[in-house]
């Protein structure tokens, strides 16, 4: 532990995963769209530039991608076009990762001041890894997930403060989260729960009154309701598959054997999921047992039930759990491996970070115990980076090969030859190239 006690060494430890992650984003992010990227950036931007009617332009922004409204993603594409004169997939990936600044900043603020630097060291090791590399290097996944986490985290942090001005900003950031991805809607319910726990009923009425209207607008002319109905129907027939899927999803951050389709992957991740959820339940039960219902009720009425840092951690954990519930119910019909899709793994990895923070704020971790935590987090990070680095590099080469194939009329970038011809994929890319707005690299 003496080595960990040295101030300079602590800063170096924090810097290593940050520099490696940023270096990989710079090196391996590619300015080549893939699959769903086309619908929300090249095709959208192409249609936007060739559409004269204002209402139809707005309809392009509001049109969903699958079951998601990704308005902020499309706005980001327009910002890059009008400000920088470019359609640049790589820039959008980089820009989406700016959410790490407020996320890490808020985590830093909630960590106890005493030994704050020591307690912060595990955060970048636990989070800045390759477990969810599709959410880091696939543009649509990066922007969707990163923005909803960033906006949602800011909103929940502000909501934890008993301040009317911050409440107004929390409303704005929750709205931005809702317009970033469908799971941003979860923050409406989570925010309502936070306000209830704070005994802030006036703000709760305002919160629900304004944001429930967002839900109605969100689902107006929504094309995927039948898709959700199919998922619910399957869940009713096979509920145990969803229960298993919930824990598999929650343990997905430890899916190091993703190249195989084996029972071991499900057993291992489900076990980790049970452990993580068990820790959350254990701490909650302990709190109730120690306080007692009468004391909890009295503290709730005097707005002293829990402090803002714990509310922030609690709200982000509920967000991760709600994602697990939604995916386990609505996606179970797609098979057992759907819960371990690469771009989903950002949520169980985020949950791992906030489970650590929950244990820390509950007083279960002391400086003397940090040696074990640090060794675990560093080992987890090293194994993740080493396990997936080759796949990250290969994805870059794959995208460049597919781009060359599509430009020559072949298959690639998620399209068959027939689809490439029907959607005019190559023609759209050529259009932006001839305008000097796009260059694959």
């Amino acid at each position: 532990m003496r080595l960990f006690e040295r101030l300079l060494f602590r800063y170096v430890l924090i810097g290593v995963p940050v520099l490696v992650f940023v270096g990989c984003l710079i090196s391996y992010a590619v300015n080549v769209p893939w699959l769903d990227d086309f619908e929300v950036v090249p095709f959208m931007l192409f249609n936007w530039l060739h559409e004269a009617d204002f209402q139809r332009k707005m309809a392009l922004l509001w049109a969903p991608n699958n079951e998601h409204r990704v308005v902020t993603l499309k706005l980001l594409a327009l910002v890059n076009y009008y400000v920088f004169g470019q359609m640049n997939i790589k820039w959008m990936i980089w820009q989406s990762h700016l959410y790490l600044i407020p996320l890490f900043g808020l985590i830093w603020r909630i960590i106890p001041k005493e030994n704050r630097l020591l307690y912060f060291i595990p955060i970048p090791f636990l989070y800045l890894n390759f477990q969810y590399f599709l959410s880091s290097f696939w543009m649509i996944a990066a922007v969707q997930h990163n923005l909803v986490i960033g906006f949602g985290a800011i909103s929940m942090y502000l909501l934890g403060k008993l301040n009317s001005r911050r409440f107004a900003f929390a409303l704005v950031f929750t709205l931005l989260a809702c317009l970033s991805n469908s799971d941003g809607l979860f923050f409406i319910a989570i925010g309502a729960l936070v306000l209830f726990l704070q005994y802030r009923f006036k703000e709760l009425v305002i919160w629900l009154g304004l944001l429930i209207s967002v839900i109605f607008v969100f689902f107006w002319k929504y094309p995927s309701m039948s898709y959700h109905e199919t998922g619910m129907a399957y869940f009713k027939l096979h509920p145990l598959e969803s229960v298993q899927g919930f824990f598999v999803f929650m343990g997905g951050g430890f899916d190091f054997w993703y190249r195989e389709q084996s029972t071991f992957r499900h057993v291992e991740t489900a076990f980790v999921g049970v452990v993580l959820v068990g820790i959350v339940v254990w701490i909650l039960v302990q709190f109730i047992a120690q306080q007692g219902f009468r004391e909890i009720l009295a503290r709730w009425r005097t707005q002293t039930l829990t402090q803002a840092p714990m509310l922030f951690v609690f709200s982000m954990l509920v967000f991760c759990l709600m994602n697990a519930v939604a995916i386990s119910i609505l996606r179970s019909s797609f098979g057992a491996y759907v819960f371990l899709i690469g771009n989903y793994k950002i949520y169980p990895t985020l949950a791992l970070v906030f489970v650590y923070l929950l244990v820390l704020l509950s007083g279960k971790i002391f400086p003397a115990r940090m040696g074990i935590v640090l060794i675990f987090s560093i080992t987890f990070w090293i194994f993740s980076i080493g396990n997936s680095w080759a796949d990250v590099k290969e994805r870059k080469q794959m995208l460049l090969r597919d781009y060359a194939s599509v430009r020559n009329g072949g298959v690639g970038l998620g399209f068959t030859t027939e689809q490439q011809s029907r959607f005019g994929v190559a023609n759209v890319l050529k259009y932006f190239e001839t305008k000097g707005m796009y260059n694959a690299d």
Side-chain angles (χ1 to χ4, degrees):
M1 277 296 295
R2 289 185 178 180
L3 185 62
F4 292 126
E5 291 171 0
R6 297 175 185 174
L7 188 63
L8 179 60
F9 185 70
R10 292 181 183 181
Y11 280 112
V12 170
L13 274 180
I14 291 173
V16 168
V18 173
L19 291 175
V20 169
F21 192 80
V22 172
C24 288
L25 281 179
I26 294 172
S27 300
Y28 300 124
V30 191
N31 188 22
V32 176
W34 184 70
L35 203 57
D36 286 3
D37 291 347
F38 277 90
E39 181 181 350
V40 295
V41 179
F43 294 162
M44 186 281 298
L45 188 56
F46 181 85
N47 292 329
W48 175 278
L49 296 175
H50 289 82
E51 180 58 67
D53 185 77
F54 177 77
Q55 286 188 334
R56 290 180 180 175
K57 281 179 179 284
M58 294 300 101
L60 290 173
L61 294 180
W62 188 245
N65 169 254
N66 296 323
E67 71 272 25
H68 302 289
R69 306 279 189 188
V70 288
V71 178
T72 54
L73 189 160
K74 295 176 182 179
L75 289 174
L76 183 61
L78 292 176
V79 167
N80 278 278
Y81 169 72
Y82 285 111
V83 176
F84 303 109
Q86 292 291 308
M87 183 197 75
N88 198 302
I89 300 299
K90 179 163 60 176
W91 289 0
M92 292 181 67
I93 292 174
W94 292 347
Q95 291 157 1
S96 75
H97 281 86
L98 293 175
Y99 88 105
L100 290 169
I101 298 173
L103 179 65
F104 282 9
L106 296 177
I107 290 174
W108 174 267
R109 289 178 67 88
I110 69 168
I111 293 176
K113 291 183 178 179
E114 188 176 0
N115 295 303
R116 175 178 280 169
L117 188 61
L118 176 63
Y119 291 141
F120 186 80
I121 293 174
I123 301 298
F125 283 106
L126 292 174
Y127 196 55
L128 300 180
N129 55 65
F130 283 171
Q131 290 305 97
Y132 55 93
F133 67 83
L134 272 182
S135 288
S136 299
F137 298 97
W138 181 14
M139 187 279 296
I140 190 170
V143 180
Q144 282 179 289
H145 298 322
N146 293 349
L147 291 189
V148 78
I149 291 171
F151 288 138
I154 295 171
S155 174
M156 294 303 101
Y157 179 83
L158 293 173
L159 208 58
K161 305 291 185 179
L162 298 173
N163 183 292
S164 58
R165 185 165 175 264
R166 289 177 175 176
F167 171 76
F169 280 109
L171 276 169
V172 172
F173 282 108
T174 297
L175 177 61
L176 289 172
C178 294
L179 296 178
S180 298
N181 203 37
S182 292
D183 57 347
L185 296 170
F186 294 157
F187 284 111
I188 296 177
I190 298 168
L193 179 59
V194 169
L195 290 169
F196 176 80
L197 292 174
Q198 292 177 310
Y199 206 76
R200 297 167 66 184
F201 290 103
K202 180 180 178 180
E203 289 96 334
L204 177 59
V205 171
I206 296 172
W207 180 272
L208 292 176
L210 290 176
L211 293 179
I212 285 180
S213 62
V214 172
I215 297 177
F216 285 107
V217 174
F218 187 94
F219 287 107
W220 179 60
K221 292 185 178 180
Y222 192 65
S224 300
M225 293 308 295
S226 60
Y227 168 81
H228 292 329
E229 290 170 1
T230 301
M232 289 298 297
Y234 187 88
F235 165 70
K236 291 176 182 178
L237 294 174
H238 310 277
L240 292 181
E241 290 184 20
S242 292
V243 173
Q244 178 188 357
F246 170 82
F247 291 107
V248 169
F249 181 96
M250 286 301 296
F254 286 79
D255 181 28
F256 295 107
W257 294 270
Y258 58 83
R259 298 175 186 86
E260 307 170 6
Q261 290 199 348
S262 62
T263 303
F264 172 76
R265 286 178 64 195
H266 291 102
V267 173
E268 181 259 339
T269 51
F271 173 77
V272 174
V274 169
V275 171
L276 291 178
V277 175
I279 291 173
V280 175
V281 173
W282 172 61
I283 290 178
L284 181 61
V285 169
Q286 273 201 327
F287 173 77
I288 295 173
Q290 290 171 358
Q291 298 294 322
F293 286 107
R294 288 187 178 180
E295 178 66 19
I296 289 174
L297 185 61
R299 290 178 59 182
W300 174 58
R301 289 173 173 171
T302 56
Q303 296 185 325
T304 58
L305 179 59
T306 186
Q307 299 300 312
M310 186 62 83
L311 276 174
F312 174 62
V313 171
F314 172 73
S315 62
M316 294 306 292
L317 279 173
V318 173
F319 172 67
C320 297
L321 291 169
M322 290 182 75
N323 267 284
V325 170
I327 296 300
S328 64
I329 292 176
L330 299 178
R331 294 288 197 272
S332 58
S333 61
F334 286 80
Y337 292 96
V338 70
F339 310 114
L340 296 174
I341 290 178
N343 53 298
Y344 287 167
K345 294 176 185 176
I346 191 170
Y347 294 122
T349 308
L350 182 70
L352 177 64
V353 170
F354 278 92
V355 167
Y356 161 70
L357 291 170
L358 178 67
V359 176
L360 176 65
L361 295 183
S362 299
K364 310 298 182 183
I365 297 178
F366 309 100
R369 298 179 179 177
M370 281 302 295
I372 297 173
V373 177
L374 291 171
I375 291 171
F376 169 80
S377 58
I378 293 171
T379 303
F380 173 79
W381 179 80
I382 291 173
F383 197 66
S384 170
I385 297 295
N387 187 46
S388 300
W389 197 310
D391 293 315
V392 172
K393 292 191 291 185
E394 172 55 28
R395 176 174 174 79
K396 177 179 180 178
Q397 298 306 316
M398 178 271 289
L399 289 173
L400 293 174
R401 287 194 304 267
D402 278 16
Y403 170 77
S405 174
V406 168
R407 288 289 276 103
N408 292 312
V411 299
L413 301 179
F415 295 90
T416 64
T417 303
E418 189 273 332
Q419 290 172 330
Q420 200 268 88
S421 176
R422 174 153 50 100
F423 295 117
V425 176
N427 292 333
V428 171
L429 293 177
K430 288 176 184 178
Y431 169 81
F432 289 114
E433 287 174 351
T434 57
K435 295 289 185 179
M437 297 165 49
Y438 176 73
N439 182 42
D441 61 1

